[in-house]
PDB file of all heavy atoms in Angstrom:
ATOM      1  N   ILE A 147      13.747  16.669  -7.531  1.00  0.00           N
ATOM      2  CA  ILE A 147      12.488  15.900  -7.571  1.00  0.00           C
ATOM      3  C   ILE A 147      12.411  15.064  -8.852  1.00  0.00           C
ATOM      4  O   ILE A 147      12.081  13.877  -8.816  1.00  0.00           O
ATOM      5  CB  ILE A 147      11.270  16.859  -7.444  1.00  0.00           C
ATOM      6  CG1 ILE A 147      11.156  17.338  -5.999  1.00  0.00           C
ATOM      7  CG2 ILE A 147       9.980  16.173  -7.878  1.00  0.00           C
ATOM      8  CD1 ILE A 147      10.122  18.419  -5.763  1.00  0.00           C
ATOM      9  N   VAL A 148      12.770  15.676  -9.982  1.00  0.00           N
ATOM     10  CA  VAL A 148      12.706  14.942 -11.258  1.00  0.00           C
ATOM     11  C   VAL A 148      13.701  13.778 -11.249  1.00  0.00           C
ATOM     12  O   VAL A 148      13.368  12.643 -11.642  1.00  0.00           O
ATOM     13  CB  VAL A 148      12.966  15.897 -12.450  1.00  0.00           C
ATOM     14  CG1 VAL A 148      13.107  15.118 -13.750  1.00  0.00           C
ATOM     15  CG2 VAL A 148      11.836  16.913 -12.571  1.00  0.00           C
ATOM     16  N   THR A 151      12.496  10.979  -9.088  1.00  0.00           N
ATOM     17  CA  THR A 151      11.368  10.292  -9.733  1.00  0.00           C
ATOM     18  C   THR A 151      11.879   9.284 -10.755  1.00  0.00           C
ATOM     19  O   THR A 151      11.420   8.139 -10.791  1.00  0.00           O
ATOM     20  CB  THR A 151      10.456  11.320 -10.449  1.00  0.00           C
ATOM     21  OG1 THR A 151      10.075  12.303  -9.502  1.00  0.00           O
ATOM     22  CG2 THR A 151       9.226  10.666 -11.031  1.00  0.00           C
ATOM     23  N   TRP A 166       6.533  11.892  -5.512  1.00  0.00           N
ATOM     24  CA  TRP A 166       7.550  12.531  -6.363  1.00  0.00           C
ATOM     25  C   TRP A 166       7.022  12.698  -7.786  1.00  0.00           C
ATOM     26  O   TRP A 166       7.298  13.704  -8.445  1.00  0.00           O
ATOM     27  CB  TRP A 166       8.835  11.683  -6.382  1.00  0.00           C
ATOM     28  CG  TRP A 166       9.497  11.628  -5.044  1.00  0.00           C
ATOM     29  CD1 TRP A 166       9.181  10.788  -4.025  1.00  0.00           C
ATOM     30  CD2 TRP A 166      10.544  12.469  -4.546  1.00  0.00           C
ATOM     31  NE1 TRP A 166       9.962  11.048  -2.930  1.00  0.00           N
ATOM     32  CE2 TRP A 166      10.822  12.069  -3.226  1.00  0.00           C
ATOM     33  CE3 TRP A 166      11.289  13.517  -5.092  1.00  0.00           C
ATOM     34  CZ2 TRP A 166      11.795  12.676  -2.437  1.00  0.00           C
ATOM     35  CZ3 TRP A 166      12.266  14.119  -4.320  1.00  0.00           C
ATOM     36  CH2 TRP A 166      12.506  13.702  -3.013  1.00  0.00           C
ATOM     37  N   VAL A 167       6.272  11.709  -8.237  1.00  0.00           N
ATOM     38  CA  VAL A 167       5.707  11.781  -9.600  1.00  0.00           C
ATOM     39  C   VAL A 167       4.758  12.978  -9.697  1.00  0.00           C
ATOM     40  O   VAL A 167       4.731  13.687 -10.713  1.00  0.00           O
ATOM     41  CB  VAL A 167       4.950  10.465  -9.956  1.00  0.00           C
ATOM     42  CG1 VAL A 167       4.309  10.566 -11.336  1.00  0.00           C
ATOM     43  CG2 VAL A 167       5.896   9.276  -9.916  1.00  0.00           C
ATOM     44  N   SER A 168       4.011  13.229  -8.602  1.00  0.00           N
ATOM     45  CA  SER A 168       3.041  14.342  -8.613  1.00  0.00           C
ATOM     46  C   SER A 168       3.672  15.647  -9.104  1.00  0.00           C
ATOM     47  O   SER A 168       3.089  16.369  -9.898  1.00  0.00           O
ATOM     48  CB  SER A 168       2.502  14.609  -7.205  1.00  0.00           C
ATOM     49  OG  SER A 168       2.131  13.431  -6.588  1.00  0.00           O
ATOM     50  N   TYR A 169       4.869  15.936  -8.600  1.00  0.00           N
ATOM     51  CA  TYR A 169       5.510  17.213  -8.958  1.00  0.00           C
ATOM     52  C   TYR A 169       6.260  17.119 -10.290  1.00  0.00           C
ATOM     53  O   TYR A 169       6.405  18.114 -10.987  1.00  0.00           O
ATOM     54  CB  TYR A 169       6.457  17.667  -7.842  1.00  0.00           C
ATOM     55  CG  TYR A 169       5.707  17.921  -6.556  1.00  0.00           C
ATOM     56  CD1 TYR A 169       5.742  17.014  -5.513  1.00  0.00           C
ATOM     57  CD2 TYR A 169       4.926  19.068  -6.401  1.00  0.00           C
ATOM     58  CE1 TYR A 169       5.042  17.231  -4.337  1.00  0.00           C
ATOM     59  CE2 TYR A 169       4.210  19.291  -5.232  1.00  0.00           C
ATOM     60  CZ  TYR A 169       4.273  18.369  -4.209  1.00  0.00           C
ATOM     61  OH  TYR A 169       3.566  18.591  -3.061  1.00  0.00           O
ATOM     62  N   SER A 170       6.751  15.918 -10.598  1.00  0.00           N
ATOM     63  CA  SER A 170       7.511  15.764 -11.849  1.00  0.00           C
ATOM     64  C   SER A 170       6.628  15.923 -13.076  1.00  0.00           C
ATOM     65  O   SER A 170       7.122  16.292 -14.137  1.00  0.00           O
ATOM     66  CB  SER A 170       8.171  14.388 -11.896  1.00  0.00           C
ATOM     67  OG  SER A 170       9.091  14.294 -10.854  1.00  0.00           O
ATOM     68  N   ILE A 171       5.330  15.626 -12.941  1.00  0.00           N
ATOM     69  CA  ILE A 171       4.460  15.727 -14.125  1.00  0.00           C
ATOM     70  C   ILE A 171       3.901  17.139 -14.311  1.00  0.00           C
ATOM     71  O   ILE A 171       3.200  17.404 -15.281  1.00  0.00           O
ATOM     72  CB  ILE A 171       3.296  14.701 -14.082  1.00  0.00           C
ATOM     73  CG1 ILE A 171       2.420  14.911 -12.846  1.00  0.00           C
ATOM     74  CG2 ILE A 171       3.802  13.286 -14.142  1.00  0.00           C
ATOM     75  CD1 ILE A 171       1.172  14.029 -12.823  1.00  0.00           C
ATOM     76  N   LEU A 172       4.257  18.046 -13.392  1.00  0.00           N
ATOM     77  CA  LEU A 172       3.710  19.411 -13.496  1.00  0.00           C
ATOM     78  C   LEU A 172       4.010  20.083 -14.838  1.00  0.00           C
ATOM     79  O   LEU A 172       3.120  20.712 -15.422  1.00  0.00           O
ATOM     80  CB  LEU A 172       4.197  20.272 -12.339  1.00  0.00           C
ATOM     81  CG  LEU A 172       3.508  20.005 -10.988  1.00  0.00           C
ATOM     82  CD1 LEU A 172       4.059  20.937  -9.925  1.00  0.00           C
ATOM     83  CD2 LEU A 172       2.001  20.155 -11.094  1.00  0.00           C
ATOM     84  N   PRO A 173       5.262  19.976 -15.358  1.00  0.00           N
ATOM     85  CA  PRO A 173       5.522  20.630 -16.651  1.00  0.00           C
ATOM     86  C   PRO A 173       4.600  20.115 -17.761  1.00  0.00           C
ATOM     87  O   PRO A 173       4.208  20.863 -18.651  1.00  0.00           O
ATOM     88  CB  PRO A 173       6.980  20.265 -16.954  1.00  0.00           C
ATOM     89  CG  PRO A 173       7.565  19.904 -15.642  1.00  0.00           C
ATOM     90  CD  PRO A 173       6.461  19.353 -14.803  1.00  0.00           C
ATOM     91  N   LEU A 174       4.243  18.829 -17.656  1.00  0.00           N
ATOM     92  CA  LEU A 174       3.364  18.218 -18.647  1.00  0.00           C
ATOM     93  C   LEU A 174       1.945  18.775 -18.537  1.00  0.00           C
ATOM     94  O   LEU A 174       1.213  18.905 -19.521  1.00  0.00           O
ATOM     95  CB  LEU A 174       3.340  16.700 -18.369  1.00  0.00           C
ATOM     96  CG  LEU A 174       3.237  15.738 -19.521  1.00  0.00           C
ATOM     97  CD1 LEU A 174       4.350  15.964 -20.528  1.00  0.00           C
ATOM     98  CD2 LEU A 174       3.290  14.303 -19.000  1.00  0.00           C
ATOM     99  N   LEU A 175       1.581  19.112 -17.307  1.00  0.00           N
ATOM    100  CA  LEU A 175       0.211  19.567 -17.057  1.00  0.00           C
ATOM    101  C   LEU A 175       0.065  21.076 -17.145  1.00  0.00           C
ATOM    102  O   LEU A 175      -1.052  21.592 -17.215  1.00  0.00           O
ATOM    103  CB  LEU A 175      -0.247  19.102 -15.665  1.00  0.00           C
ATOM    104  CG  LEU A 175      -0.107  17.606 -15.364  1.00  0.00           C
ATOM    105  CD1 LEU A 175      -0.651  17.299 -13.985  1.00  0.00           C
ATOM    106  CD2 LEU A 175      -0.851  16.775 -16.392  1.00  0.00           C
ATOM    107  N   ALA A 176       1.206  21.784 -17.115  1.00  0.00           N
ATOM    108  CA  ALA A 176       1.168  23.247 -17.042  1.00  0.00           C
ATOM    109  C   ALA A 176       0.290  23.902 -18.120  1.00  0.00           C
ATOM    110  O   ALA A 176      -0.538  24.773 -17.785  1.00  0.00           O
ATOM    111  CB  ALA A 176       2.581  23.806 -17.084  1.00  0.00           C
ATOM    112  N   SER A 218      -2.664  13.330 -20.875  1.00  0.00           N
ATOM    113  CA  SER A 218      -1.427  12.998 -20.148  1.00  0.00           C
ATOM    114  C   SER A 218      -1.760  12.489 -18.750  1.00  0.00           C
ATOM    115  O   SER A 218      -1.235  11.465 -18.300  1.00  0.00           O
ATOM    116  CB  SER A 218      -0.520  14.226 -20.000  1.00  0.00           C
ATOM    117  OG  SER A 218      -0.363  14.865 -21.208  1.00  0.00           O
ATOM    118  N   LEU A 219      -2.644  13.230 -18.076  1.00  0.00           N
ATOM    119  CA  LEU A 219      -3.002  12.877 -16.702  1.00  0.00           C
ATOM    120  C   LEU A 219      -3.686  11.508 -16.660  1.00  0.00           C
ATOM    121  O   LEU A 219      -3.373  10.666 -15.810  1.00  0.00           O
ATOM    122  CB  LEU A 219      -3.942  13.956 -16.144  1.00  0.00           C
ATOM    123  CG  LEU A 219      -4.093  14.017 -14.633  1.00  0.00           C
ATOM    124  CD1 LEU A 219      -2.757  14.255 -13.975  1.00  0.00           C
ATOM    125  CD2 LEU A 219      -5.052  15.132 -14.242  1.00  0.00           C
ATOM    126  N   ILE A 222      -1.163   8.579 -17.172  1.00  0.00           N
ATOM    127  CA  ILE A 222      -0.377   8.288 -15.959  1.00  0.00           C
ATOM    128  C   ILE A 222      -1.277   7.654 -14.898  1.00  0.00           C
ATOM    129  O   ILE A 222      -0.917   6.654 -14.269  1.00  0.00           O
ATOM    130  CB  ILE A 222       0.286   9.580 -15.429  1.00  0.00           C
ATOM    131  CG1 ILE A 222       1.328  10.059 -16.437  1.00  0.00           C
ATOM    132  CG2 ILE A 222       0.937   9.346 -14.067  1.00  0.00           C
ATOM    133  CD1 ILE A 222       1.775  11.480 -16.261  1.00  0.00           C
ATOM    134  N   LEU A 237      -1.071  10.112  -5.693  1.00  0.00           N
ATOM    135  CA  LEU A 237      -0.327  10.843  -6.724  1.00  0.00           C
ATOM    136  C   LEU A 237      -1.040  12.150  -7.102  1.00  0.00           C
ATOM    137  O   LEU A 237      -0.411  13.187  -7.276  1.00  0.00           O
ATOM    138  CB  LEU A 237      -0.174   9.937  -7.944  1.00  0.00           C
ATOM    139  CG  LEU A 237       0.666  10.417  -9.114  1.00  0.00           C
ATOM    140  CD1 LEU A 237       1.296   9.221  -9.803  1.00  0.00           C
ATOM    141  CD2 LEU A 237      -0.111  11.210 -10.132  1.00  0.00           C
ATOM    142  N   LEU A 238      -2.377  12.077  -7.199  1.00  0.00           N
ATOM    143  CA  LEU A 238      -3.123  13.249  -7.694  1.00  0.00           C
ATOM    144  C   LEU A 238      -3.366  14.312  -6.630  1.00  0.00           C
ATOM    145  O   LEU A 238      -3.639  15.460  -6.958  1.00  0.00           O
ATOM    146  CB  LEU A 238      -4.469  12.791  -8.270  1.00  0.00           C
ATOM    147  CG  LEU A 238      -4.413  11.917  -9.528  1.00  0.00           C
ATOM    148  CD1 LEU A 238      -5.815  11.509  -9.948  1.00  0.00           C
ATOM    149  CD2 LEU A 238      -3.738  12.648 -10.672  1.00  0.00           C
ATOM    150  N   LEU A 241      -2.186  17.957  -6.789  1.00  0.00           N
ATOM    151  CA  LEU A 241      -2.601  18.773  -7.938  1.00  0.00           C
ATOM    152  C   LEU A 241      -3.771  19.708  -7.597  1.00  0.00           C
ATOM    153  O   LEU A 241      -3.694  20.909  -7.888  1.00  0.00           O
ATOM    154  CB  LEU A 241      -2.925  17.892  -9.149  1.00  0.00           C
ATOM    155  CG  LEU A 241      -1.784  16.974  -9.599  1.00  0.00           C
ATOM    156  CD1 LEU A 241      -2.197  16.182 -10.824  1.00  0.00           C
ATOM    157  CD2 LEU A 241      -0.526  17.776  -9.893  1.00  0.00           C
TER     158      LEU A 241
END
Side-chain angles (χ1 to χ4, degrees):
Chain A
I147 286 172
V148 172
T151 305
W166 294 83
V167 177
S168 313
Y169 298 103
S170 297
I171 60 174
L172 284 181
L174 215 56
L175 307 182
S218 311
L219 198 59
I222 294 164
L237 185 150
L238 294 178
L241 303 182

